[in-house]
Amino acid sequence: MEFIQNIWRLLGVPLNRALDLLGVDVGPWGWVHTAAKVAILFLCVVVVGSIARAAIRSVWRAFRSDPLTPLDDVHALQQHRAAIEAGQRLDEPVAPREGAVALLRKQGRYGELGETYLAAARPREAARWFLKAGDRKRAAQALAQGGRAARAARMMMRDGEYALAGAFYTADGAHRAAAKAYRLAGDLASAAHALSMAHRFREAMEAYQEYFNRTTDPLERQLETGRRCIDLLEAPKVAAKAPADTLAALYLAIGKRYERANRPADAAKLYALAGVPTSTKAP
């Protein structure tokens, strides 16, 4: 109690000195003097409390914070992503630390946030940041990586990215939808293969015929498509039911590609299957 009384008296010292210097006499208004001391006490408590709170926060951060600064944290995650892109296998994904996330959000670097979450093997969260950054293609790729390939495909269909949509539909096992997307993209070879995967064999053969009649692809791509077509034609269900003229036309078209590739033995086998006993070299 005596301590409090001493504090109360001390508060009056600067106040009394100020009143003497100003030549002010509160006279009968003693309550003004008391109110002034209460105000001084309140200000002292506020100032001391603010200083104490700041000190406590500094100590708390020193004990709980990561030794890396936010900038170092971002740099570490960028190095992790670079290692992944270089093909290095890492035992554990690097989790995005709060410091890095807060910094990237504050600076509006949403695309880098998306890459950060991808490096941490959290593709669905990465997709949200890519969308916020306006990078719908990268967001779709993240969604597909996170097991939502169908949603990614629908996004790309709306954006007119038909080839990418076809790849996502294929990853989701929706081969008929993939074939439609590839057709819209003008990729008849992939459309034909998707139709064969969907067991739409007649449509697949028609698509292969259209491809070989119209293609201007490099020869290597044509040979790859030819190999896929042969796999289809040799399937028991197709070989037994496909029209003979369709089979002959496809074997002949593929044989011409093998002959252009200077593989006469393979070309001769295909010509024989097409019912053409001699070389029919394509122009």
Side-chain angles (χ1 to χ4, degrees), residues 105-264:
R105 286 184 64 178
K106 184 177 181 180
Q107 296 180 348
R109 294 155 63 184
Y110 303 126
E112 290 184 52
L113 261 176
E115 297 295 346
T116 297
Y117 277 101
L118 272 184
R122 291 161 67 176
R124 294 185 184 181
E125 292 172 84
R128 289 198 290 270
W129 289 113
F130 285 131
L131 285 174
K132 193 171 180 64
D135 191 345
R136 289 176 59 83
K137 185 182 293 187
R138 198 76 179 100
Q141 291 170 338
L143 283 171
Q145 187 174 328
R148 296 188 177 181
R151 181 182 171 190
R154 291 192 295 270
M155 282 178 58
M156 292 298 94
M157 288 293 286
R158 289 194 294 269
D159 292 352
E161 297 284 350
Y162 300 122
L164 196 53
F168 291 146
Y169 275 130
T170 299
D172 193 54
H175 298 296
R176 291 185 66 181
K180 179 181 177 181
Y182 283 130
R183 269 197 172 276
L184 290 171
D187 188 351
L188 285 172
S190 296
H193 181 63
L195 287 167
S196 69
M197 294 295 292
H199 294 181
R200 310 287 293 188
F201 300 129
R202 180 181 59 80
E203 296 173 46
M205 288 187 290
E206 291 173 355
Y208 276 123
Q209 280 186 295
E210 186 179 355
Y211 171 78
F212 288 123
N213 289 336
R214 296 172 51 184
T215 186
T216 57
D217 285 346
L219 182 58
E220 186 59 37
R221 177 88 195 280
Q222 295 184 43
L223 290 172
E224 178 187 352
T225 303
R227 286 191 290 271
R228 286 182 169 181
C229 184
I230 290 171
D231 289 339
L232 170 66
L233 301 180
E234 290 179 346
K237 290 183 179 179
V238 177
K241 297 182 179 180
D245 58 342
T246 300
L247 292 172
L250 286 170
Y251 280 128
L252 177 61
I254 300 168
K256 291 179 180 180
R257 271 73 185 176
Y258 277 100
E259 191 167 359
R260 287 180 193 168
N262 294 319
R263 295 172 60 177

Side-chain angles (χ1 to χ4, degrees), residues 36-53:
K37 288 201 290 186
V38 171
I40 293 172
L41 179 61
F42 176 75
L43 288 174
C44 289
V45 170
V46 170
V47 171
V48 172
S50 298
I51 294 172
R53 186 165 59 251

